[in-house]
Structure formats: structure tokens, C-alpha cells
Amino acid sequence: MDLLEIGAIAQVLGAVAILLSLIFVIIELRKNLKQNNVANTFQHAIQWEKILSKQVEGGMAKVIVKARESYERLEEFEKVQFEAFVQQRIQIAFRGFRAADESAFLIGAEELRGRIKSHMTDFFASRGVYECYEILVQRDIIRDEPWLKEIHKAA
């Protein structure tokens, strides 16, 4: 075997090594993506658990029940509480809606967006929530997102 043949064999071995390295990197990236999806799913679940636990607190539950009838009938301190609650619900839905492609682990982005729309349609079905939302938009505290317009018009 002369030097030229040894050089050709070395080039082939080098190309195989590079190919194996790329396959290894792809495998590791896929594992990382799966772990990220699981972490996003858990983070989203934690956010929903926080908002649900906030709803069942004694004082807040009373404010929510009262606000469902009419936002305008709330006391000023209750309006502050309810506005924060509405904003929190909208922000959680907004993050989920925007990040659906990355965070919809196993269920698919459109399925997640559909669930979010369903939850928010139910949320906006309350007259008080709708009134509060409109006031927050008028005061320029929150943006009237296109996907939210579609939801609260349907509600």
C-alpha cells in the first residue's frame, strides 16, 4: 500500500467519523427537544393549577361569582382583584396560544389552541369578564389580540 491509498482510506474514515458525529448530534437534539416539551407541558400545568387555586380561595371565589354577573357592581378593591385575575387568565392563554407549536407535547399545536379557545370562550361567556376585558382594552392595559377578538365575539 502506498501513501496515496493510505490517504484515501483516511479520508473515507474521516467522512464516516463526521457522519457518525452528525447522527449523534441529531439524536441528542431530539432528546433535548423531548425534554423541553415535557418541561413546557409541566410549566403550563403549574400555571393552570395556580390560577385554579386562586379561584377557590374564599375571598377571590366570592369576587369571581359577583363579577360574573356584572363587573360594574364590584367594589373598587374587588375590581382591582378581578382585573388582575382576568389579566392573569388571558396571559396564561396567550402564552399557551403563542407557544403551541413548541409546547403541545404529543397532542399537537392545533389541539392545544383548540383547548385554549374552548377555555377562553367559556371564560368570556360571563358578562362580567367581558365587561372587565373591554375596560382593560379601553384603558390600554391589555391588547385586543386578534385571536381573543374571535373568542369574545363568539361568547
Side-chain angles (χ1 to χ4, degrees), residues 34-75:
K34 286 181 181 180
Q35 290 172 347
N36 190 34
N37 285 340
V38 170
N40 283 342
T41 301
F42 285 136
Q43 184 62 33
H44 193 68
I46 289 168
Q47 290 174 340
W48 274 111
E49 288 172 12
K50 284 181 182 178
I51 197 118
L52 291 175
S53 68
K54 183 76 171 170
Q55 279 181 239
V56 296
E57 290 176 3
M60 192 61 199
K62 290 176 184 175
V63 171
I64 292 170
V65 169
K66 190 175 174 182
R68 283 184 180 161
E69 295 299 316
S70 173
Y71 172 78
E72 295 301 326
R73 291 189 205 152
L74 294 176
E75 302 289 329

Side-chain angles (χ1 to χ4, degrees), residues 83-99:
E83 286 174 5
F85 173 73
V86 168
Q87 288 181 61
Q88 187 179 25
R89 277 291 295 265
I90 290 171
Q91 287 303 317
I92 290 171
F94 180 72
R95 283 191 299 274
F97 196 81
R98 290 288 173 128

Side-chain angles (χ1 to χ4, degrees), residues 93-111:
F94 180 72
R95 283 191 299 274
F97 196 81
R98 290 288 173 128
D101 293 321
E102 292 83 22
S103 64
F105 184 62
L106 295 179
I107 64 171
E110 288 309 311
E111 173 71 19

Side-chain angles (χ1 to χ4, degrees), residues 74-141:
L74 294 176
E75 302 289 329
E76 289 303 313
F77 74 94
E78 291 172 328
K79 285 181 180 179
V80 171
Q81 288 177 308
F82 192 66
E83 286 174 5
F85 173 73
V86 168
Q87 288 181 61
Q88 187 179 25
R89 277 291 295 265
I90 290 171
Q91 287 303 317
I92 290 171
F94 180 72
R95 283 191 299 274
F97 196 81
R98 290 288 173 128
D101 293 321
E102 292 83 22
S103 64
F105 184 62
L106 295 179
I107 64 171
E110 288 309 311
E111 173 71 19
L112 178 60
R113 286 189 179 109
R115 287 182 184 181
I116 292 168
K117 284 183 178 181
S118 174
H119 284 279
M120 294 309 288
T121 300
D122 182 55
F123 185 60
F124 276 108
S126 159
R127 184 176 143 210
V129 170
Y130 184 77
E131 290 172 355
C132 180
Y133 175 79
E134 290 295 318
I135 288 170
L136 291 172
V137 169
Q138 287 172 4
R139 290 176 25 211
D140 203 25
I141 292 174

